[in-house]
Amino acid sequence: MTRRTDLSRIRTTAVVAAAAALALSGCAGGDESDKELTVFAAASLTDTFTELAEKFEKDHPGVKVTTSFGGSSDLVAQIEDGAPADVFASADTKNMDKLGKLATDPQDFASNTLEIATPPGNPAKITGFKDLAGPGAKVVVCAVEVPCGNATAQMEQKTGVDIEPVSEEQSVSDVLAKVSSGDADAGLVYVTDVTAAGDTVTGVEFPESDQVVNTYPISTLDGSDDADLAQEFVDLALAEAGRKVLSDAGFGQP
Amino acid sequence: MPRWLWFPAAIAAAFILVPLAAIVLRVDLAELPELITSPSALEALWLSLRTAAASTLLCILLGVPLSTVLARTSFPGQGLMRSLVLLPLVLPPVVSGLALLYTFGRRGLLGQTLDLFGIQIPFTVVAVVMAQTFVALPFLVISLEGALRTSGTRYEAVAATLGARPTTVFRRVTLPLVGPGLLSGSVLAFARCLGEFGATITFAGNLPGVTSTMPLQVYLLRVDDPDAAVALSLVLVVVAVAVIGFARQGRAL
């Protein structure tokens, strides 16, 4: 290989790298008539907000909605670090509050309560919240740092039931994975997670669940490229059509 | 050497060094002592060091025989076998964790039988050690096998003709010959164990003091208490640098 081809290859690489950097930083632009809306939403909203995004795209031809789902606290950290999001839907008010002035006008749009998930058929015969403290039952919960773990801690406090988990997971989906694989006898997640998990887990409702209600706020974000469009998405989540999607998935009224 | 190599070389070095510097710069020095001596941080560090040491020992006990077999014998399918045992090097750690779960989990291939005897591995320190060993073993095997191949079999053959039995040859000739390779492999394995995250969280879960190693602690803290997370990261970086520095001192790497 001659030196010249080496150099030209390096130039090509440099051009490609520069283009990639531009694309990553969002400067690549594109056709200006195409609008993009980026929605950050809590992992527990994955199914419902995917549906809402499709609905929004149908109602607004030419608009592309990009969704990013994750732990609310993760998403908050990303937004604070400058992630280009237009709308944020949080799984609890605590995380929305963390955004402070970055969140324009948070409004509650849904609520969620806890439910016990067990492997299909509930082999360990868990019947209520108190059973989670029983000896022998392998229970996984969310770590207190994430919203579902915070709700779990509140529930333990209110009921006086002291769960000794075998693992504190980082997210609801981690809890579900350990329950559906059968390695845990029970896990504490939201009602909507049990619904979404379908046949892979069996849900056990418990009467104390209404003592801890998690409220979901949604807000447009400061720095959004198209605040009006962002507000329209928020309105969709609050409107009757949005409510229907959410209640079908098991969410309660805010 | 062509002079222009300096340019990409400098970019490569900066690409690794600048992010490390960014961590150091992000650390709140005033609060550092408090953050890294908090009970949960010390607990996680101690757990990490203990499990990584145990895993490295396991890697040596299992990896030395395996590398010797791979380097000194030939049998049908040996090439395939070598590729397969090195697979955890390139597998996403979460996939390794799932593989362990499907083997040793309560409904796993072997786990079902173990469960009958009352042995349950997930969510225990044993699971942490197994996860670390699974991902670190190939590091030891690959460096030791390389050392064994380059050292050749001349000395071993001479020792054998002088009447030494195979075990004596292995102990007195083969092992000393590949000492540096074994050391560098062990150091690599130890460092890999220390940083193991995906397989651990998938197979062993996360419980403070039992399975919550440093990387898991950093991951969980990073959103709620970034200062503590960055302080713990720094500790991990320092320990890793110390381990690698120690190995370089002995010319092992």
Side-chain angles (χ1 to χ4, degrees), chain A residues 27-44:
Chain A
C27 299
D31 194 351
E32 291 207 338
S33 67
D34 288 334
K35 287 183 177 174
E36 275 197 42
L37 194 68
T38 306
V39 177
F40 277 27
S44 46

Side-chain angles (χ1 to χ4, degrees), chain A residues 3 6 10 73-74 77 94 98 119 123 138 140 143 145 165-170 178 180-185, chain B residues 4 26 101 104-107 120 122-123 197 201-208 211 216 219-224:
Chain A
R3 200 168 161 209
D6 272 353
I10 286 168
S73 34
D74 265 345
K94 182 183 140 204
K98 273 199 228 159
K138 284 184 187 292
V140 286
E145 285 85 352
V166 292
S167 181
E168 297 174 4
E169 299 291 328
Q170 334 277 358
K178 287 193 162 91
S180 59
S181 76
D183 285 291
D185 295 316
Chain B
W4 58 265
R26 200 59 181 267
L101 203 58
F104 299 103
R106 206 191 264 183
R107 303 223 179 119
Q120 288 165 2
F123 311 122
F197 170 73
I201 203 157
T202 312
F203 180 48
N206 171 60
L207 190 68
T211 59
L216 270 60
Y219 181 70
L220 191 61
L221 280 176
R222 123 208 88 108
V223 278
D224 213 46

Side-chain angles (χ1 to χ4, degrees), chain B residues 127-192:
Chain B
V128 178
V129 171
M130 285 172 67
Q132 290 175 349
T133 306
F134 188 84
V135 297
L137 188 55
F139 281 86
L140 187 122
V141 171
I142 205 170
S143 41
L144 193 57
E145 199 214 348
L148 280 163
R149 283 181 185 278
T150 36
S151 74
T153 54
R154 269 193 321 161
Y155 294 104
E156 291 165 12
V158 170
T161 56
L162 292 175
R165 290 192 308 181
T167 304
T168 315
V169 175
F170 181 67
R171 203 163 46 85
R172 301 288 295 274
V173 179
T174 314
L175 280 185
L177 219 51
V178 294
L182 179 59
L183 183 61
S184 76
S186 310
V187 167
L188 269 181
F190 183 77
R192 183 67 189 84

Side-chain angles (χ1 to χ4, degrees), chain A residues 37-41 49 53 65-69 85-89 218 233:
Chain A
L37 194 68
T38 306
V39 177
F40 277 27
F49 268 52
V65 181
T66 306
T67 45
S68 171
F69 300 104
D86 301 297
V87 174
F88 174 52
I218 186 169
F233 190 90

Side-chain angles (χ1 to χ4, degrees), chain B residues 19-68:
Chain B
L20 290 177
I23 278 200
V24 177
L25 291 174
R26 200 59 181 267
V27 172
D28 187 345
L29 281 177
E31 284 185 42
L32 185 63
E34 196 186 323
L35 289 172
I36 58 176
T37 54
S38 73
S40 63
L42 286 179
E43 199 175 52
L45 178 62
W46 178 227
L47 179 71
S48 269
L49 292 175
R50 252 169 39 219
T51 52
S55 308
T56 309
L57 190 66
L58 257 180
C59 283
I60 295 171
L61 290 176
L62 301 173
V64 171
L66 179 58
S67 337
T68 313

